[in-house]
């Protein structure tokens, strides 16, 4: 990492020669410490450097190319070096709870990566190269400052769980509609105003959470998602529902608790007669919709 490291170290941690203070050096794990704490767990080579207050990472870390699971969560990391790309055996990478403003393009070299947690950072964009991680199954980018995703993520066709909640997204990124193996899609607390008809492409979805947005209506194509077991559209601006909603038979009840399966819809400015019909429960709504 060389001389570039100093730009991310507060002035008070630098001595007169421009190098890190001895105290800061001592906070970074040594290669011996890292190797000692790399364990074999359920068949994986695992290392956790979580909760160590690190502003940067020890350069020796990138020599451990055998690592398969790496936990760097809950530090104060502001950037990830390009050396990340050397850990090509990584299956799980946990970066949540840092201060990252970007991910390096070299993340695309992690071709074996299946799980990436990068939530609760300061990301404003995602590198196009992430689309090269075609083995990804779980991706969480929640609680960042994202306004969209690159088209290249269309290649992530094996993705099963995607969390984009608590960002600044105004429309569902087009690449999401190509992720046809998704079973879980979380988009709560963004700035969505509508859901495109392409949503019907996500036929395997079981959980769709879009509460806390500005959605005015639900498209009838949403009702093609007949595997849905939990649909949360609470706290939007929805006034009516499509007649085809009775096709969502796996939504068995009106749900209240956030983790309950069923339909979450009551916290909306619903108009009569839908509002009154819902007082009788979800099955009353389905009966009404089929009769109309």
């Amino acid at each position: 990492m060389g001389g570039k490291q100093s730009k991310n170290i507060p002035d008070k941690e630098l001595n007169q020669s421009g190098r890190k203070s001895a105290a800061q050096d001592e906070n970074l794990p040594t290669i011996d410490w890292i190797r000692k704490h790399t364990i074999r767990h359920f068949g994986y080579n695992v290392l956790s450097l979580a909760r160590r207050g690190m502003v940067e990472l020890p350069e020796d870390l990138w020599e451990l190319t055998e690592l398969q699971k790496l936990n760097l969560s809950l530090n104060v990391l502001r950037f990830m070096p390009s050396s990340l790309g050397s850990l090509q055996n990584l299956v799980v990478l946990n970066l949540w709870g840092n201060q990252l403003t970007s991910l390096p393009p070299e993340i695309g070299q992690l071709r074996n990566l299946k799980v990436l947690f990068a939530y609760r950072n300061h990301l404003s964009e995602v590198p196009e190269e992430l689309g090269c991680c075609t083995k990804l199954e779980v991706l969480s980018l929640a609680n960042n400052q994202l306004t969209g995703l690159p088209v290249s993520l269309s290649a992530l066709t094996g993705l099963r769980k995607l969390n984009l909640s608590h960002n600044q997204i105004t429309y569902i990124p087009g690449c999401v509609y190509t992720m046809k193996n998704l079973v879980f899609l979380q988009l709560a607390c963004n700035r969505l105003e509508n859901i495109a008809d392409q949503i019907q492409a996500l036929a395997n979805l079981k959980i769709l959470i879009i509460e806390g947005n500005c959605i005015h209506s639900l498209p009838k194509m949403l009702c093609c998602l007949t595997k849905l077991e939990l649909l949360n559209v609470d706290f939007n601006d929805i006034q009516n529902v499509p007649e085809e909603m009775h096709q969502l038979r796996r939504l068995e009840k009106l749900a209240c608790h956030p983790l309950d399966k069923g339909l979450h819809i009551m916290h909306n400015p619903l108009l009569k007669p839908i509002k009154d019909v819902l007082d009788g429960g979800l099955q009353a709504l389905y009966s009404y919709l089929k009769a109309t």
Side-chain angles (χ1 to χ4, degrees):
M1 294 164 64
K4 291 184 179 180
Q5 289 179 335
S6 62
K7 69 179 181 179
N8 289 287
I9 304 171
D11 291 341
K12 66 181 180 181
E13 296 178 0
L14 299 176
N15 60 24
Q16 292 180 349
S17 66
R19 295 181 179 179
K20 292 178 296 178
S21 68
Q24 179 67 9
D25 277 329
E26 291 174 0
N27 286 335
L28 291 177
T30 64
I31 185 61
D32 291 337
W33 187 98
I34 290 174
R35 290 194 181 280
K36 179 180 178 181
H37 287 81
T38 299
I39 63 173
R40 190 76 175 169
H41 189 250
F42 290 105
Y44 291 96
N45 296 316
V46 180
L47 174 63
S48 177
L49 295 175
R51 297 178 182 269
R52 294 188 60 85
M54 295 186 299
V55 176
E56 59 184 353
L57 295 167
E59 189 170 351
D60 294 331
L61 173 62
W62 315 117
E63 298 178 14
L64 301 182
T65 56
E66 70 274 15
L67 279 180
Q68 294 170 292
K69 293 186 177 183
L70 177 60
N71 186 352
L72 300 173
S73 64
L74 295 167
N75 283 288
V76 284
L77 302 173
R78 298 186 179 93
F79 80 104
M80 290 295 296
S82 60
S83 306
L84 174 66
S86 65
L87 303 183
Q88 296 186 14
N89 287 308
L90 278 184
V91 175
V92 177
L93 177 58
N94 194 338
L95 301 174
W96 81 270
N98 281 283
Q99 298 178 15
L100 299 172
T101 57
S102 64
L103 297 175
E106 288 78 9
I107 198 170
Q109 297 174 22
L110 307 182
R111 302 299 176 87
N112 290 302
L113 197 63
K114 292 185 178 181
V115 178
L116 174 59
F117 295 129
Y119 57 96
R120 293 189 181 177
N121 279 284
H122 303 306
L123 302 176
S124 58
E125 61 181 6
V126 175
E128 293 185 2
E129 290 80 2
L130 185 60
C132 295
C133 301
T134 53
K135 291 186 179 180
L136 268 176
E137 297 178 4
V138 179
L139 175 60
S140 180
L141 297 167
N143 295 87
N144 280 287
Q145 300 166 15
L146 300 174
T147 57
L149 295 176
V151 175
S152 61
L153 267 59
S154 298
L156 304 183
T157 54
L159 204 64
R160 293 178 56 80
K161 296 182 179 181
L162 176 61
N163 191 339
L164 297 172
S165 64
H166 296 271
N167 278 287
Q168 300 172 19
I169 298 172
T170 55
Y171 62 90
I172 299 177
C175 63
V176 172
Y177 298 121
T178 68
M179 301 172 182
K180 297 183 180 181
N181 283 307
L182 281 178
V183 296
F184 175 95
L185 178 57
Q186 163 67 288
L187 284 157
C189 301
N190 277 281
R191 301 175 181 177
L192 301 176
E193 294 187 2
N194 58 65
I195 303 171
D197 285 344
Q198 293 99 305
I199 193 71
Q200 66 176 317
L202 304 181
N204 289 307
L205 269 186
K206 293 183 178 180
I207 298 176
L208 176 58
I209 303 173
I210 47 179
E211 67 174 322
N213 281 281
C214 306
I215 297 171
H216 304 293
S217 62
L218 300 176
K220 66 179 182 179
M221 293 303 180
L222 179 67
C223 303
C224 296
L225 307 182
T226 55
K227 293 184 180 180
L228 277 179
E229 298 175 1
L230 189 160
L231 173 60
N232 191 336
V233 296
D234 267 343
F235 301 103
N236 278 282
D237 297 322
I238 298 169
Q239 298 184 354
N240 213 329
V241 297
E243 295 179 2
E244 295 81 1
M245 183 166 277
H246 64 84
Q247 298 172 13
L248 303 180
R249 283 295 176 184
R250 294 195 182 184
L251 299 178
E252 297 180 351
K253 63 179 181 179
L254 288 180
C256 297
H257 190 279
L259 298 180
D260 283 349
K261 291 183 178 181
L263 175 63
H264 301 248
I265 195 173
M266 295 305 294
H267 297 96
N268 280 282
L270 295 166
L271 299 177
K272 294 183 178 182
I274 295 298
K275 181 178 180 180
D276 294 336
V277 171
L278 279 171
D279 288 339
L282 187 58
Q283 296 308 314
L285 174 66
Y286 283 176
S287 296
Y288 171 80
L289 293 175
K290 286 192 292 185
T292 57

